[in-house]
Amino acid sequence: MLRTLLTRRWLTALALALIFAVVAVLLGNWQFSRHQERVAARDLVESHYDAAPVPLEDVLRGDAPLASEREWTRVQTSGEYVGGQLFVRNRPREGTFGYEVMAPLQTAVGTLTVNRGWAPNAENAATLPDVPTTPEGPVEVTGWLRPGEVDLDRAAVEGQLASINLAAAGEQWQRPVLGAYLVLDSEQHVGEPGRDIARPLPLEPPRTGLGAHFAYSLQWWLTSPVGLILVLVMARREWQDTEAGAGTTRPAKAKKVRIWDEEDE
């Protein structure tokens, strides 16, 4: 069988099967790394989302970006809204696209970008949806901190953003902003906790499902040796067919000589 495998045709097949095995292992490793990322993201959300809020100044100061391990930290702060609302385009909610509404809240440590919620699209792209305005006077807000998003390098329409890019928001508000934004959970007037404040629809909770990456990684790893196994099985079958076709013969047995045969001779 080894002589069969060492032919050019089967060496080529073995090389291709080996390449497939390596690629399958690498794809399995990639899927497993995606699974680990999902697990880390889920653990981060679950450890922070329902925690008691901490003061904003304990987590965020100046324009320094939010540390990755502090994402989704639940914070509380107070201040006054000091600018118009900006609308972030193409944001989904329950399968429908619309806008997320951002507003600048002046706090003791700087201007905090507050994501007040979601609003559906208007009749056309040139028309902004009608949403509640920001409340007047000092308010206390509670929510979760998120890092800003990358600039999508698309021409900004006045009053709109292509992404939650904090630098772009600061330019439109003409003021520097802190290095993270707040997903609003609740807000209330300082000294008037029972007074309702109208706001856009709250954002959906973050998704913490792990997806199918772990199953995909197992599939790729289990598939990796299949090519090699097939080549070996097919090469062995060819070798067996070759041996059978050769028709190897056994030496004839020596004829026994009987006593009466000797006498006849």
Side-chain angles (χ1 to χ4, degrees):
M1 180 177 171
L2 182 60
R3 186 178 300 173
T4 301
L5 281 174
L6 291 178
T7 59
R8 181 176 181 181
R9 181 164 63 93
W10 286 111
L11 286 175
T12 301
L14 279 173
L16 292 175
L18 183 60
I19 292 172
F20 173 78
V22 171
V23 171
V25 169
L26 293 176
L27 287 172
N29 292 344
W30 175 70
Q31 288 289 354
F32 188 68
S33 69
R34 294 290 305 278
H35 169 73
Q36 290 179 309
E37 291 172 1
R38 288 288 188 92
V39 170
R42 178 202 62 188
D43 293 345
L44 186 65
V45 171
E46 291 182 349
S47 64
H48 289 158
Y49 199 76
D50 294 322
V54 298
L56 174 67
E57 56 269 20
D58 290 354
V59 184
L60 200 62
R61 286 183 178 274
D63 59 357
L66 181 68
S68 58
E69 67 273 10
R70 304 307 298 269
E71 185 175 354
W72 289 110
T73 298
R74 196 160 182 251
V75 298
Q76 189 173 64
T77 189
S78 59
E80 291 189 39
Y81 288 106
V82 290
Q85 298 183 117
L86 297 176
F87 294 79
V88 186
R89 304 188 297 269
N90 299 321
R91 311 299 284 201
R93 186 181 188 276
E94 297 180 353
T96 302
F97 283 86
Y99 296 91
E100 289 181 18
V101 185
M102 319 300 290
L105 181 74
Q106 186 61 45
T107 72
V109 293
T111 302
L112 176 65
T113 302
V114 177
N115 187 330
R116 302 191 68 234
W118 182 90
N121 288 327
E123 295 180 358
N124 53 63
T127 305
L128 292 176
D130 185 18
V131 298
T133 60
T134 54
E136 295 183 358
V139 293
E140 183 178 78
V141 299
T142 301
W144 302 273
L145 289 179
R146 299 293 314 279
E149 299 174 357
V150 298
D151 187 356
L152 298 182
D153 196 23
R154 297 174 185 167
V157 180
E158 186 68 26
Q160 296 186 31
L161 295 170
S163 66
I164 307 179
N165 182 263
L166 299 176
E171 287 181 6
Q172 293 214 37
W173 287 324
Q174 297 183 350
R175 61 173 61 235
V177 297
L178 295 172
Y181 71 93
L182 181 93
V183 176
L184 185 63
D185 179 24
S186 63
E187 62 183 347
Q188 60 184 11
H189 289 280
V190 173
E192 300 179 77
R195 183 179 168 190
D196 290 336
I197 299 178
R199 56 172 291 195
L201 292 173
L203 298 186
E204 296 178 291
R207 296 179 180 179
T208 55
L210 298 181
H213 296 294
F214 183 66
Y216 291 153
S217 66
L218 290 180
Q219 290 176 4
W220 280 116
W221 289 333
L222 292 174
T223 303
S224 61
V226 169
L228 292 170
I229 293 172
L230 286 175
V231 169
L232 292 176
V233 169
M234 294 172 67
R236 184 174 184 274
R237 182 175 298 175
E238 181 178 294
W239 169 74
Q240 289 176 330
D241 292 344
T242 301
E243 289 294 305
T248 54
T249 59
R250 297 180 181 179
K253 293 182 179 180
K255 183 179 180 182
K256 293 182 179 180
V257 180
R258 295 171 292 187
I259 295 176
W260 51 84
D261 290 335
E262 293 178 351
E263 292 177 351
D264 293 339
E265 291 176 0

